[in-house]
Amino acid sequence: MTSPLRYLLQALNFAVFMAIIGYFSANPAVRNLEEGLAQVTLAIGHAGQPVRPCRERTAEELAALPPNMRQPMDCPRERSPVIVRLIMDGKPILDMTVNPPGAFKDQGIDIYRSIPIPAGKHHFVAKLKDSVREKDFNYVGEKVVDLAPADLLFIDFHAQMGGFLFK
Amino acid sequence: MRGINDLKPTSNPIKRAYLYLEEWFNLSFGEKWNPLYHLGPLTFFFFWIALVTGLYLFIFFDTTVSGAHASLEVIINEQFYIGRIMRGLHRYASDAAVATIFLHIFREFSQDRYRGIRWYSWFTGIPNLWLVGLLGITGYWMVWDELALFIAIGSSKLMDALPIFSDSMARNFMPGNLGGRFSTLLAFLHLLGLPMFLIFMLWFHVRRLSKVEISAPKGLAIGALLALTVLSLVVPALSHAPANLSKVPTVLHPDWFYLNIYPLAKDWPAGQVWLLVGGITVLMMFMPWLPKKKTGAVAVVDLNHCNGCGQCADDCPFDAITVQARTDGAKWKNEVVVAPQLCAACGICTGSCPSSNPFRKTSDDGLLKTGIDMPGLPLDQFKRQTDEALAKLEGDIKIMAFGCDNSYDVETLSAPNVAAIRFFCIGMMPASLVEYALKNGADGVFISGCRHGDCYYRFGNHWMDMRIHGERKPALRARVDRSRIRIFGAADTDGKKLKKEFQAFCDSLASQPPPTGAPHTTAQAEEARHD
């Protein structure tokens, strides 16, 4: 084959290769959130309360234990499931019960949920129950938020800071 | 007995598709520059571009979360075209590397070059896909734009599904929580940790290969660099809008070469995504045993005929032969040893041994011996096959054809005046066998094998070609008439071309006077063999 034709073919091959590289380096586009929607994200990292209250050991019980294990309080390892409910404008948009992980059900739970919602003004109520000994939700937070399209409402949870934080 | 390699390899649709693609590139680039023959070096070259341009970008890049995006905007918009070209080259060369890696995988798979002793290169190569992928992911993450935020949250969800971290990683990316530590970790991974680990793994990947080519042909490299530069100017590599933790990225333009898993991770549960990618990885890694390839008996050294010259060790494509100090007390300084677990049973060593000479006298047991031989097809056996074939040839122009098990089957050329013998690899054929055939009745010798520039056993046809042209030991003697020898590499899909070339060779022989000194009757040939 003559050189000019071969160079032409090479240029053609490079052009096709570069077209593939150029296209797939940024296409096809992905829609992460539909038009007109906002998003609420609930992030909770929390350990449920022990399933039973701690009990003070008697002097006899303490004496029966090895010296290095004489803890005055006897607390169960197993923790309560955590129940979370998120209500928007009076309707629940998230309702979940998360059992504590671990072989002894003694670890903390992690929740990270993103829920697309219509943009606009909404009334959010977030509830959390972390003890089987409680009858009702022991943490409740609420807020009215006006969300523009693509806005993100982040609902964080910190028990030591009083519960739900709307960001 | 030919052993298990006697079976003709099946031409499957995937192999044929690859061969047609290879043929197209041969037409466009020639055998010397065919990109499919240099996919490894091309990948290295693309990584070199990414490294050099990455160093340039790093000079101006602010690795902090607050400054990363803005510093890239400065590089792209305020450095005339240099910054734009550099960033474009960095991105597109990285993408091109992924493309050549997958072409490399496709090539090895379609040509069945991943099983048998080649399991090692395949097995150690697959995990590198993860490292390359992570390099790309950390690179896009460092930009800290909307796409980076999408990657960060997607990656966090995936990581949170694994029982590794006690706290949720995704919680790092909520408003007010993001610190600078994460970007420091990413910068370390992208700039140092992952590249160093990748180099280490690549060393493992090619460890069982000899004469590893890492430099792409100059012309091909220049062409690729030019093409990438043009692409960088025509389609600049741009960032998305800066990441905003209070906003949700709506429309994203992910780099599908690296970020293809994230759109899936958005909709699928993280556990299923891990199952998919982990399952594909494990399946690919264990493909060499699905099913396992049967390899023929490995090469055997006969120290009585080996002077330890080391030519076989030099020619072995898989580093299966080593030279060591003599152990049998013979006068020679060295001997060679075959590592059975590394031997592909290709027979190239037999072709490279100076003792593999059909003109030599047979041993006391009546067998023709050589320094290193293949139990599946010993030198003595193919010398006898050649004798028998030559004795049966009839006609005005008698041709001996030699081919191999992994190219177009030369036995399809068989005719009353044409005899064909296949080797495991054409590199197994001693150059002296050509002279032997010409001296014992053949008017011409037609040699086939894999396409030029490619070889199932890496170098077999290349070494054979050099030996015939006197450029590599053991070379065909200079006095042998080269016009009576034709070499034509042909893959499974090259039947028509091979037959056309063969016919042209027949025509060329017909126009020549009979070879001087060569026997031309069966009786003469018989006499010559007994000499």
Side-chain angles (χ1 to χ4, degrees), chain B residues 442-507:
Chain B
D443 295 299
V445 173
F446 188 82
I447 306 167
S448 188
C450 300
R451 284 175 178 164
H452 296 298
D454 183 44
C455 173
Y456 185 81
Y457 291 113
R458 301 188 69 224
F459 305 129
N461 59 0
H462 186 49
W463 294 159
M464 176 276 295
D465 201 71
M466 291 178 81
R467 288 175 202 149
I468 297 297
H469 289 98
E471 295 161 0
R472 193 174 183 86
K473 289 179 183 175
L476 182 65
R477 285 197 283 191
R479 68 182 183 194
V480 177
D481 183 0
R482 263 55 176 186
S483 69
R484 297 194 169 273
I485 304 166
R486 183 69 57 95
I487 301 172
F488 187 77
D492 280 0
T493 51
D494 294 334
K496 280 183 187 169
K497 283 184 187 172
L498 181 103
K499 283 170 183 167
K500 194 177 164 191
E501 184 72 19
F502 183 74
Q503 190 53 52
F505 181 52
C506 293
D507 296 344

Side-chain angles (χ1 to χ4, degrees), chain A residues 40 85-89 91-95 115-117 124:
Chain A
V40 57
R85 190 170 294 165
L86 180 62
I87 299 158
M88 184 179 83
D89 302 330
K91 290 177 185 169
I93 56 170
L94 181 79
D95 194 348
I115 307 158
I117 54 167
F124 292 96

